[in-house]
């Protein structure tokens, strides 16, 4: 959300003083590139939508984790005072820059921008055994470049945190590329598949989120010497350190705080009062263990509450054209972490 605001603020300030300055100096015009100012106007709605989808994906991926992607964590720019540099910060940066790149790329494929279309640069070339590049590949190169301009520009620092954030922004963009899918079409007499043409398509954004969640679990901690970054040589050493780590991996500098506990200084709510899942069809392993993770392992009990939900049901289509539904009431049991009453799960190790 902060990113969205920042993009808007930049666009506005761009409309005023900065833009005129840039236009006056003739930046970009002759090189065929859009000026930064003009770019903000054209892409800012797409960037905002992309950042939003990154945030929604973060909330989805962490819905049953102790840290559940709270608004407070979504401070992406370096202006905000308290900035953490832990594994969760790493994920927020990666999923946001991935969301921005993804949305820009999708907008491009849908023809939303005049200056951008399919990536057909390899069309006609041999791609592999029995297939040629052809068709309309999603233009991730475009999304990547514009996302870099917008998201990386929010990072104005020069310290290790800045280097970490930029690294994770890049890891987010790499995740979009890594999850792209090859789709092919057969050619040949009467449906025989003697040759195929193939193109690369964006996956569902959910897949990018799941990919980054794995990277989150495997994030690397970078240890830097105290005081590194206070000198030019130190900054060089920081840059070298980060450069040595693959941009496919997430990196962090600090350990995460204990998310079980409320900590007002850090703005952490703790897990008391959180809902968790127990029984139910189609619960994955991660969800099924959520009561243990959120309550039991945090020293809290699991409290059952009965609740009633009202949903639309037995909907009928009436010719023509209305849908009428009944309201169905259903008793459901929900589970919450509670300090007082409820069932105590034997706590296990607290990772
Ligand atoms: C790009 O796509 C997003 C979400 O699909 C949409 O909200 C936005 O308006 C699009 N941007 C443009 C410039 O069409
Ligand atoms: C909150 O977190 C800070 C920083 O990690 C720590 O120093 C402090 O002791 C914590 N406070 C509580 C109440 O746990």
């Amino acid at each position: 959300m902060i990113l969205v605001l920042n993009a808007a603020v930049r666009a506005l300030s761009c409309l005023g003083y900065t833009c005129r300055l840039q236009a006056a100096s003739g930046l970009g015009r002759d090189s065929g590139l859009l000026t930064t100012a003009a770019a903000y106007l054209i892409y800012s709605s797409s960037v905002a939508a992309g950042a939003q989808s990154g945030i929604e994906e973060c909330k989805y991926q962490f819905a049953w984790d102790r840290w559940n992607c709270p608004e407070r964590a979504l401070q992406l720019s370096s202006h905000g005072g308290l900035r953490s540099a832990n594994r969760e910060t790493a994920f927020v940066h990666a999923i946001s820059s991935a969301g921005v790149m993804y949305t820009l790329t999708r907008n491009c494929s849908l023809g939303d921008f005049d200056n951008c279309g399919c990536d057909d640069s390899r069309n006609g070339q041999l791609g592999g055994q029995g297939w040629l590049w052809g068709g309309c590949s999603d233009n991730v190169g475009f999304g990547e470049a514009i996302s870099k301009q917008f998201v990386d520009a929010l990072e104005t620092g020069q310290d290790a945190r800045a280097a970490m954030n930029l690294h994770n922004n890049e890891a987010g963009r790499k995740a979009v590329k890594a999850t792209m899918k090859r789709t092919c079409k057969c050619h040949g007499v009467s449906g025989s598949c003697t040759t195929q043409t193939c193109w690369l398509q964006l996956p569902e954004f959910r897949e990018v989120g799941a990919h980054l969640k794995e990277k989150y679990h495997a994030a690397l901690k970078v240890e830097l010497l105290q005081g590194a970054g206070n000198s030019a040589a130190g900054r060089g050493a920081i840059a070298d350190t980060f450069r040595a780590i693959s941009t496919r991996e997430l990196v962090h500098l600090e350990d995460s705080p204990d998310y079980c506990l409320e900590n007002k200084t850090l703005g952490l709510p703790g897990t008391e009062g959180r809902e968790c899942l127990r029984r139910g069809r189609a619960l994955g392993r991660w969800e099924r263990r959520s009561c243990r993770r959120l309550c039991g392992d945090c020293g809290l009990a699991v409290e059952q509450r009965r609740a009633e939900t009202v949903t639309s049901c037995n909907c009928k289509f009436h010719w023509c054209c209305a849908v009428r539904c009944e309201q169905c009431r259903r008793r459901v049991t929900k589970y919450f972490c509670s300090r007082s009453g409820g069932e105590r799960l034997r706590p296990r190790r607290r990772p």
Side-chain angles (χ1 to χ4, degrees), residues 26 45 84 99 103 120 154 184 258 278 281 310 324 331 346:
S45 83
S84 45
T103 307
D120 55 9
L154 296 173
C184 299
D258 186 347
R278 272 207 148 160
R281 307 135 282 138
V310 181
R324 299 217 179 82
R331 303 280 297 165
R346 191 164 43 83

Side-chain angles (χ1 to χ4, degrees), residues 104-213:
L104 282 162
T105 304
R106 172 130 295 167
N107 280 133
C108 168
S109 294
L110 292 173
D112 290 342
F113 305 127
D114 293 339
N115 62 332
C116 156
C118 306
D119 175 7
D120 55 9
S121 57
R122 281 178 293 191
N123 283 10
Q125 292 175 21
L126 197 63
Q129 185 85 50
W131 65 274
L132 296 168
W133 286 102
C136 175
S137 286
D138 281 320
N139 197 338
V140 278
F142 165 83
E144 184 179 27
I146 307 293
S147 158
K148 219 175 164 114
Q149 264 191 39
F150 270 84
V151 183
D152 287 7
L154 296 173
E155 194 52 63
T156 52
Q158 291 216 308
D159 54 358
R161 277 158 202 267
M164 165 185 151
N165 293 339
L166 291 173
H167 187 104
N168 293 323
N169 290 349
E170 185 60 31
R173 292 186 288 262
K174 283 280 191 304
V176 177
K177 281 190 169 169
T179 49
M180 287 188 76
K181 299 259 178 302
R182 198 169 81 210
T183 312
C184 299
K185 197 170 112 187
C186 282
H187 305 276
V189 267
S190 63
S192 72
C193 206
T194 42
T195 57
Q196 292 187 50
T197 50
C198 304
W199 58 96
L200 280 182
Q201 269 187 335
L202 289 172
E204 293 297 315
F205 191 58
R206 176 95 339 133
E207 271 186 60
V208 181
H211 180 88
L212 282 174
K213 181 92 190 266

